[in-house]
Amino acid sequence: MSLMSVDLYQSATDPEKFLALPAGTDPSELMGPMTFDQDYAEVKRYQEGFEFDPAQDYAGVNAAKIAADLLTVKWAIYRRES
């Protein structure tokens, strides 16, 4: 799978929770993440235009699931595990 350009957002209420969106997507236009978890109701930008490689290992996250969610529902929520 090729690289995906994503914007990463961090929950304002739980710093271990993140939201990944295709680059340029406005998180305020989404309802899905907040439906599953109110910690995503307020997010702050963590990293813009991150070149996400679904084949790479990222500490504490399931890259394959994030990629699958981005491709199917256009957003992914995840918690960084230690």
Side-chain angles (χ1 to χ4, degrees):
M1 185 176 283
S2 59
L3 294 177
M4 304 170 81
S5 184
V6 299
D7 292 338
L8 302 175
Y9 294 85
Q10 187 175 35
S11 167
T13 55
D14 186 340
E16 296 300 312
K17 292 183 178 181
F18 292 86
L19 170 66
L21 302 173
T25 302
D26 182 353
S28 68
E29 296 177 358
L30 300 174
M31 291 302 298
M34 299 65 152
T35 302
F36 291 97
D37 189 332
Q38 283 298 306
D39 284 333
Y40 294 102
E42 185 179 341
V43 294
K44 55 187 176 180
R45 183 168 303 189
Y46 182 75
Q47 192 166 356
E48 184 176 8
F50 177 71
E51 292 300 319
F52 177 70
D53 183 352
Q56 183 175 333
D57 286 333
Y58 296 97
V61 300
N62 183 337
K65 179 170 181 352
I66 292 170
D69 288 349
L70 286 168
L71 291 171
T72 56
V73 295
K74 306 297 185 222
W75 52 267
I77 54 177
Y78 65 96
R79 180 179 193 96
R80 182 169 43 195
E81 302 294 336
S82 316

